[in-house]
Amino acid sequence: MRLNITCIPGDGIGPEIVTQAKAVLNAVADRFGHELHYTDILMGGASIDACGEPLTDDAIAQAKAADAVLMGSIGGNTSTSPWYQLPPDKRPEAGLLRLRKSLNLFTNLRPAFLYQELRAACPLKEEISVAGFDIMIMRELTGGLYFGERKTVVENGVRKAVDTLTYDENEIRRIAVKGFDIACKRKGKVTSVDKANVLDSSRLWRKVVEEVAADYPDVTLEHMLVDNCAMQLVKNPAQFDVILTENMFGDILSDEASMVTGSIGMLPSASLNETKFGLYEPSHGSAPDIAGLDIANPIATVLSAAMMLRYSFDLDREADVIETAVQTVLRDGYRTVDIMSPGCTQVGCSEMGALLVKRISE
Ligand code: IPM
Ligand code: MG
């Protein structure tokens, strides 16, 4: 199979982790006889420095022309980087939001899985971590507060800022359908998270999710308020299968869920539209403080590449091989510094990549 992949190395540790993910993809392609074509585009700070804006029209066109996009991370230190002196719509993150919107990537899948090998890194009590957990956070990605009208004004000498949270029923329905579809392939439970005791947008969310649920009699639906969900994620994460939620709640809850797994450096993500096209990126950020030190954990990006093979190319066997390689390397005791524990062997970013390639190639 011929796979056309656009890569966005991005900022901070992005280029290092994408290099390792490409090495892993190349090893899989060699083993299974696929032909990979990569095109790199700039986004975020790298694009600001080179082109004066965080994402150019040309870069969007190149991303659209690909079968899938593999991304590292974007952004810098918000207190010290000159990128954050720019107006908000010219900053690195604006590039990512624009790309998501331009490609209509409304479904964001963020698995939070506790590897038993990494249980020691889980910050929860042992009686909770021993039960393990495997959660799929499904975050609506192109609506809500992050895309509503916003402005900052001065009224009668008082500074005032306004952000708007809007959802229409179609936006809710299409993500809900995806959520129920995924639940059918998992444990068959959807927890829809909202703030229906306060927000109109959440009350509509709840109604539409219930309408969609009627078409999925085999899936159990429960509703949970977002504040309670934040608490339940640390109290009893094993209760969750699919968490279905809107943009901002999903942003916050997915960071929380990833921390509960022990390392955000392990978690991939996929952002999908109605077609097979997707953008695949680690759930973590650009970690500018460790950029260039060859100590970043490439596994989240490697697992994002596996999700790409699975969701955009239907190459399940190839994706399984990558996921098994990750598990084997962990079982053999290799760790990057973020997941290091006593008795294990600490390796850097490129060495972790090489270990994965070796397991895939042998
Ligand atoms: C994420 C990030 C982004 C978001 C930022 C960088 C705009 O936090 O992917 O979770 O909020 O969506
Ligand atoms: Mg986030």
Side-chain angles (χ1 to χ4, degrees):
M1 192 168 172
R2 188 191 154 97
L3 322 183
N4 289 314
I5 301 165
T6 290
C7 290
I8 305 177
D11 307 318
I13 58 171
E16 303 162 51
I17 55 183
V18 167
T19 299
Q20 297 314 318
K22 274 178 161 174
V24 165
L25 279 172
N26 292 341
V28 173
D30 281 350
R31 179 162 157 188
F32 290 92
H34 300 299
E35 207 184 307
L36 296 182
H37 292 271
Y38 299 107
T39 325
D40 278 5
I41 59 170
L42 296 175
M43 191 169 84
S47 177
I48 296 172
D49 291 346
C51 317
E53 51 179 321
L55 184 70
T56 62
D57 290 344
D58 185 51
I60 295 177
Q62 288 199 52
K64 273 189 181 154
D67 299 320
V69 179
L70 179 66
M71 183 185 143
S73 49
I74 53 133
N77 184 317
T78 49
S79 324
T80 55
S81 164
W83 298 329
Y84 296 92
Q85 303 300 319
L86 296 166
D89 62 335
K90 296 277 179 236
R91 293 180 194 172
E93 288 72 11
L96 179 57
L97 294 176
R98 185 166 174 226
L99 187 68
R100 287 175 180 165
K101 196 72 172 177
S102 313
L103 301 175
N104 197 25
L105 303 172
F106 62 87
T107 304
N108 185 214
L109 302 181
R110 295 191 169 182
F113 175 72
L114 182 67
Y115 285 86
Q116 283 305 309
E117 292 83 0
L118 298 184
R119 252 182 45 211
C122 172
L124 302 179
K125 284 189 195 145
E126 202 177 338
E127 68 236 44
I128 300 174
S129 67
V130 79
F133 55 87
D134 178 1
I135 307 170
M136 181 64 88
I137 299 198
M138 302 208 41
R139 167 186 177 196
E140 199 291 326
L141 203 58
T142 54
L145 211 43
Y146 294 12
F147 290 94
E149 264 174 60
R150 65 180 96 259
K151 62 178 179 184
T152 304
V153 291
V154 181
E155 267 176 19
N156 304 323
V158 177
R159 286 173 296 167
K160 180 169 140 183
V162 182
D163 295 285
T164 38
L165 200 182
T166 310
Y167 271 108
D168 71 36
E169 59 176 308
N170 297 326
E171 290 173 301
I172 301 169
R173 190 171 297 109
R174 64 184 183 175
I175 179 81
V177 166
K178 294 267 187 197
F180 281 86
D181 282 345
I182 298 261
C184 289
K185 296 190 190 148
R186 294 172 47 98
K187 286 181 236 132
K189 179 175 173 192
V190 169
T191 304
S192 175
V193 174
D194 61 37
K195 187 71 186 171
N197 53 348
V198 178
L199 302 176
D200 262 25
S201 56
S202 283
R203 287 187 273 268
L204 181 63
W205 180 278
R206 217 175 248 224
K207 272 196 197 111
V208 175
V209 168
E210 269 172 12
E211 286 161 19
V212 171
D215 293 333
Y216 295 84
D218 297 333
V219 177
T220 310
L221 168 67
E222 68 175 9
H223 299 286
M224 192 176 277
L225 296 174
V226 61
D227 41 358
N228 184 28
C229 183
M231 185 178 80
Q232 295 297 332
L233 272 172
V234 290
K235 194 172 164 216
N236 177 15
Q239 70 183 286
F240 295 109
D241 179 19
V242 171
I243 290 181
L244 172 67
T245 193
E246 63 91 56
N247 203 343
M248 184 172 70
F249 298 158
D251 187 18
I252 298 168
L253 294 176
S254 60
D255 266 32
E256 186 190 0
S258 66
M259 186 58 225
V260 170
T261 68
S263 171
I264 195 165
M266 294 292 298
L267 299 181
S269 83
S271 304
L272 309 171
N273 62 20
E274 285 293 8
T275 71
K276 285 272 165 202
F277 183 90
L279 165 75
Y280 300 85
E281 55 170 320
S283 285
H284 60 71
S286 61
D289 51 323
I290 60 162
L293 302 181
D294 194 29
I295 59 169
N297 186 349
I299 293 179
T301 318
V302 166
L303 291 172
S304 302
M307 285 185 98
M308 176 176 82
L309 296 178
R310 201 182 290 290
Y311 290 100
S312 285
F313 300 110
D314 289 318
L315 296 174
D316 288 323
R317 211 172 32 143
E318 288 79 345
D320 288 345
V321 164
I322 295 181
E323 287 165 4
T324 306
V326 167
Q327 246 165 345
T328 315
V329 165
L330 293 176
R331 199 162 302 143
D332 293 347
Y334 295 103
R335 304 281 189 273
T336 43
V337 62
D338 56 312
I339 50 173
M340 186 57 191
S341 56
C344 292
T345 310
Q346 191 169 319
V347 296
C349 181
S350 45
E351 200 178 343
M352 180 55 91
L355 287 163
L356 293 167
V357 165
K358 191 158 169 267
R359 298 231 171 2
I360 290 166
S361 311
E362 63 194 17

